[in-house]
Structures are given as structure tokens and as C-alpha cells.
Amino acid sequence: MIDVLIVDDSAFMRKMLSEFINSQTDMTVKAAARNGSDALKKVQAEHFDVMTLDVEMPVMNGIDVLKKIPAGGPAVIMVSSKTQRGSDMAVEALELGAVEVVAKPSGSISLDIEKVKEEFLSKIRIAAAAGTGKPVVDRSLSRASAPTVPPKAVIHSGCRNVIAIGTSTGGPKALQVVIPKLPASLPAPVFVVQHMPPSFTGSLARRLNQISGVRVKEAEHNETAENGVVYIAPGGSQMRVGKKEGRLFLSVTQEEANEGHRPSVDVLFKSLSALNHVRVTAAVLTGMGRDGAEGVRQLLEQNSSRIAAESETTAVIYGMPKAAARIAGVENIALEHITAFLTREFSG
């Protein structure tokens, strides 16, 4: 049974979220708090597996609460409005160690919160698994059939280099390790898919841009990809890379989700695999599920690619990297060495 602490200054939100949780057989609301100060007192008094934490509250906001949660405390899911302030604070919380974020559909008090019920419950389960502080292996992948070995890629002379990264749960904190280490003079564009709700990826791009030598931005439809720029796929959209008159350009569309994901790592990777004279260096970082695995397979079959999967020792959730690692030709690398892997072609 997953014991949950709900923290929200709205009595309506506390009531609705409690009803969602208590309708399940594997979780229960052990307590609720109306502000951050009250939440910390409850965390100090008893054990909780997961805390759902409102971002913007009186007395003490969600960021201040997160900074004060003691070691061994509950795994945290941020529950945030889609305003820029709410999104910025939620992304900061993810960088500080919160596991996931759920967007309130229509403001601080969302009468239509039912719209995100299933997402909310799913993320509680993910947070409970990740809350041990140890890498979580996605056991659903253990039944997958053994991968076939793709044919060796043909390396063409004169290839343009690009970098691609796919990640999900735990990704914002992982990207904070990887992206700032990229050299400002990087002779390649970087394409990133991070599973996130709409409006939060813009905040993620802005925060990474502030601490990085490379420029980081949310991708826009039909823009030309430039070296030394990191393009974050917008939440709620699919991002592909195409080639026209020798230049790479981005396609950002509202097409349907791929295996439940929008943006999808597979969609990005498969688009890169179709490009001639483009050499892809890619990494699959922490996340639940197997998004990216088929894209990795196509990259290795059709393109001169080098691919790494974040190692089980550092991944918050060893699901997506595990699925990628099962494919021949994919290296397992600890998070702190991912940037060096991605830029190996351009050093020395």
C-alpha cells in the first residue's frame, strides 16, 4: 500500500485528489496538509511514501518545502498550474529532486481536475517506485524478446553531426548534469525529447539556457537547426528533424501520441534515422517504459550512429535506458560521463 500525503491550500483540490487516491486498491491518503509548514510537520511526525505537493501556496511554497524534506522522506510529485510562474517553479522542483509533475488543467483550483486523474495516479505509482533512492528497473521489459543484431552502419565521409537525447522520469535533473557541460562552440545541433506536459518544456529550456554555454530553447515549427543550439521538443507536440537544400529543419506538429507519448523519443530518433549524410550520436536517459528503443534500432540499422544508454547505477528509473541497452551496439554509461560520450567526436 502506498501511503500518500496531499499538500494543497485548496480544500476542493485536497478533496478531489483524496478521492482519486482512495478509489484505488494499492494506495491511500494517510494525511493532508493545507500549506508547506503543515506538510513538514507531518513529514517529521510519520512516514509517507509519496507527497503530492502544490507549487504555489501561502506560508511556505512547494520549492521551500522540497528543500527542507529530510533524507529518506517521501518521493515528491509537484502539482502545478500552467502559468509561467507555476511552470518555472515546477521545473526548478524537478531539478531539486521531485520525481514528476502533474499540470492542473485550469489553474490553481481546477474544477476539471478529473481530466488528469489517470496521469496523476500513474505518477504516484512511478514516484513510489523511485522513492527508494535506488535505481528502479522497469520489470515490464524483462519479458521482451531478445533483440536482433542490426547490420553494421555504413559511415559516410562528409556526414553532418547531430546529437539527440531522450528521457522521461528524472530527466530534468539528468539534463541539468548533461547539457551545461556541452561546449559553447559545439559543432552540432542537439535535439531533446523530455516527456513533460505542455507549457513546462518552455520553462525547462529557459532554466537550462541560464546555466549552459550552449543556447537552449524550445523548438519551433520549420526553424532551421543550428550548431551549438539545444532544441527541446514542446510538451504536447511531436518533433521531427528533416533535411531541405542541405540544411536541417524542425517539424513540430500536433499529431497523435506515439505509444502514449507526445513528444516521443521514437518519433525524433526515427526521423533522424531517415536522413542521409547525417551522423547521429544519441543517449537514452532515465525513464519508465521503452520509448526510444525502436528509434535506437532504426538509427543503428539505417544511419552511422553511436548510442549510449544511461547506466542502471545512475538512472532514477531504469526502463527506457534498459530497453535501449538490450539492442546490440548500445553502450551503458553513468550519467556523469554522458556528455563526454556525446562530444567525443568533437574533442581532441
Side-chain angles (χ1 to χ4, degrees):
M1 184 66 69
I2 303 169
D3 290 324
V4 183
L5 170 62
I6 293 177
V7 187
D8 200 296
D9 61 318
S10 162
F12 171 78
M13 293 301 298
R14 294 196 301 272
K15 176 178 182 294
M16 292 302 297
L17 297 180
S18 294
E19 289 180 359
F20 294 166
I21 292 168
N22 289 332
S23 70
Q24 305 299 296
T25 59
D26 60 340
M27 62 183 73
T28 186
V29 176
K30 191 174 182 180
R34 66 182 63 188
N35 59 56
S37 178
D38 186 23
L40 285 177
K41 290 176 184 176
K42 286 180 165 57
V43 168
Q44 291 164 358
E46 53 187 325
H47 171 80
F48 300 92
D49 299 304
V50 175
M51 175 194 294
T52 72
L53 183 59
D54 190 18
V55 171
E56 299 179 82
M57 296 180 293
V59 183
M60 183 184 292
N61 65 37
I63 296 296
D64 291 336
V65 173
L66 192 61
K67 291 177 179 178
K68 294 178 182 293
I69 293 175
V76 176
I77 297 173
M78 304 307 295
V79 182
S80 169
S81 66
K82 295 180 180 180
T83 64
Q84 181 171 330
R85 174 176 165 78
S87 298
D88 288 348
M89 292 177 71
V91 170
E92 181 181 358
L94 291 170
E95 293 173 349
L96 288 170
V99 177
E100 279 284 6
V101 60
V102 175
K104 294 179 179 180
S106 55
S108 296
I109 302 175
S110 288
L111 300 179
D112 54 352
I113 191 67
E114 183 84 25
K115 290 179 178 178
V116 297
K117 176 182 177 180
E118 294 308 315
E119 176 192 358
F120 176 70
L121 295 172
S122 173
K123 288 184 175 180
I124 286 176
R125 294 182 177 99
I126 292 171
T132 60
K134 300 177 181 178
V136 178
V137 179
D138 187 348
R139 301 297 178 189
S140 67
L141 302 178
S142 62
R143 296 187 299 275
S145 59
T148 57
V149 179
K152 189 174 181 62
V154 178
I155 300 176
H156 304 280
S157 60
C159 280
R160 178 170 182 183
N161 290 291
V162 304
I163 291 171
I165 300 170
T167 187
S168 186
T169 303
K173 192 170 184 179
L175 291 173
Q176 195 178 29
V177 174
V178 174
I179 301 299
K181 293 180 182 177
L182 294 171
S185 58
L186 185 69
V190 182
F191 307 109
V192 178
V193 165
Q194 161 70 61
H195 294 162
M196 263 184 148
S199 80
F200 291 88
T201 43
S203 294
L204 176 64
R206 286 191 295 273
R207 287 190 59 80
L208 288 171
N209 188 60
Q210 291 170 359
I211 59 174
S212 303
V214 290
R215 182 186 177 204
V216 185
K217 69 183 299 291
E218 192 173 41
E220 299 175 62
H221 185 58
N222 275 340
E223 71 177 313
T224 300
E226 303 290 347
N227 290 345
V229 180
V230 178
Y231 300 92
I232 308 285
S237 300
Q238 298 292 14
M239 181 174 75
R240 287 183 169 84
V241 180
K243 197 173 184 182
K244 184 166 50 181
E245 297 178 354
R247 306 201 71 179
L248 301 181
F249 69 96
L250 294 168
S251 174
V252 178
T253 66
Q254 295 296 305
E255 66 191 86
E256 65 184 30
N258 179 69
E259 301 293 333
H261 300 297
R262 193 173 69 177
S264 162
V265 183
D266 275 330
V267 167
L268 171 63
F269 283 9
K270 288 178 180 180
S271 73
L272 291 170
S273 74
L275 301 178
N276 294 322
H277 303 292
V278 173
R279 180 167 170 76
V280 181
T281 305
V284 179
L285 307 182
T286 175
M288 182 71 79
R290 55 182 304 109
D291 188 27
E294 289 306 310
V296 163
R297 192 187 305 278
Q298 286 197 19
L299 281 171
L300 291 171
E301 289 175 348
Q302 302 174 26
N303 199 294
S304 51
S305 304
R306 295 172 52 249
I307 301 174
E310 183 180 353
S311 122
E312 183 178 349
T313 60
T314 60
V316 174
I317 303 283
Y318 190 58
M320 285 168 51
K322 178 185 178 183
R326 289 174 58 86
I327 299 170
V330 175
E331 299 183 46
N332 276 278
I333 298 179
L335 180 64
E336 60 268 26
H337 302 306
I338 291 289
T339 307
F341 171 87
L342 293 173
T343 58
R344 190 184 302 166
E345 297 290 310
F346 321 118
S347 59

